[in-house]
Amino acid sequence: MEKFITLFSTAVPLFIDNIDTDQIIPARFLKLTTKSDLGKNLFRDWRYDSNGKIKKNFILNQKKYSGKILITGKNFGCGSSREHAAWAIRDYGFKVVISNIFADIFKQNALNNGLLTIELKKDFINLIYQKLFLNTNILFEINLEHQYVQFENNKEYFKIDNFQKKCFINGYDDIELLFSIKKKIEIFEKNNIYN
């Protein structure tokens, strides 16, 4: 997994509540068993019409919005528990998704796959939307070490599980984390095997 400590990036605002995993990556694309190439079908039915032509009014198709941060409405990632949704978002190029509430399974899938999910207060997210619609080039700082999101003169702190934070900062997935403490595990086993 890629290390994540601080990210400076512009953001894409997708101001829609209750976006389910079938909208994030439609079921017809779940036959893939690798994490690559899913990004091209992220929000497929919102980005393209039935003939495969780009819908110019959809936010991801507007060149004025870009960046590694996706800012969404509440209850993002609801619906089925498909891990492909996190894969598709990550493969598209997003490193962070910000919402005021995530569906639990999606949140865990995202964190396990190197996609940082950040929950912020609704008022702060509304402020972000207001500012982004006036200036699409706002630079955001996501500081995982000190757990805050900042843009212009606005700053908001967020919570993250210490285990997940350690994994992101060190670039570990669950297995890599176990390998990083292998010697401690061996010492523990040696000292406790006969107790």
Side-chain angles (χ1 to χ4, degrees):
M1 202 163 84
E2 184 181 342
K3 288 184 179 181
F4 188 119
I5 299 170
T6 304
L7 173 68
F8 293 92
S9 177
T10 52
V12 178
L14 185 57
F15 194 40
I16 301 172
D17 292 338
N18 304 310
I19 296 176
D20 65 55
T21 53
D22 195 49
Q23 295 302 329
I24 296 169
I25 186 73
R28 64 188 180 276
F29 300 110
L30 299 186
K31 295 174 186 173
L32 296 174
T33 56
T34 65
K35 297 177 184 180
S36 59
D37 290 334
L38 283 171
K40 65 184 178 186
N41 293 308
L42 177 68
F43 299 115
R44 176 71 189 204
D45 296 334
W46 291 353
R47 288 170 59 202
Y48 301 94
D49 66 19
S50 58
N51 296 318
K53 292 186 179 180
I54 288 177
K55 296 179 181 178
K56 292 181 180 178
N57 63 336
F58 185 62
I59 201 89
L60 291 186
N61 296 333
Q62 296 177 24
K63 291 184 180 180
K64 64 182 179 178
Y65 291 107
S66 65
K68 297 177 189 249
I69 304 167
L70 178 66
I71 304 174
T72 70
K74 67 180 180 182
N75 198 27
F76 185 80
C78 56
S80 68
S81 60
R82 65 187 67 162
E83 193 171 18
H84 294 68
W87 294 357
I89 294 167
R90 192 73 175 87
D91 188 55
Y92 186 83
F94 291 114
K95 292 186 175 187
V96 176
V97 181
I98 295 175
S99 177
N100 70 317
I101 300 170
F102 288 98
D104 289 338
I105 294 173
F106 171 82
K107 182 177 181 178
Q108 196 58 50
N109 283 339
L111 292 169
N112 288 341
N113 284 283
L115 179 64
L116 183 61
T117 54
I118 296 176
E119 293 183 354
L120 298 176
K121 294 175 185 170
K122 188 173 182 178
D123 290 346
F124 192 76
I125 291 176
N126 288 339
L127 176 64
I128 291 173
Y129 281 122
Q130 291 168 12
K131 298 284 187 175
L132 271 177
F133 284 117
L134 295 173
N135 177 9
T136 61
N137 296 314
I138 293 173
L139 189 64
F140 290 83
E141 177 187 356
I142 310 290
N143 187 307
L144 181 56
E145 186 177 7
H146 299 290
Q147 297 176 214
Y148 66 78
V149 175
Q150 184 170 337
F151 71 99
E152 297 176 339
N153 294 319
N154 306 288
K155 185 187 232 181
E156 183 79 15
Y157 289 89
F158 61 89
K159 295 179 182 177
I160 185 170
D161 176 82
N162 284 333
F163 170 78
Q164 294 292 352
K165 181 178 178 179
K166 182 176 182 179
C167 286
F168 271 84
I169 286 175
N170 291 290
Y172 296 148
D173 62 20
D174 292 351
I175 303 299
E176 290 166 328
L177 179 64
L178 282 176
F179 276 116
S180 77
I181 58 171
K182 182 180 177 185
K183 293 222 182 281
K184 289 181 182 178
I185 293 170
E186 288 171 348
I187 291 168
F188 176 82
E189 286 179 336
K190 185 178 178 182
N191 291 334
N192 292 289
I193 198 162
Y194 300 109
N195 295 340

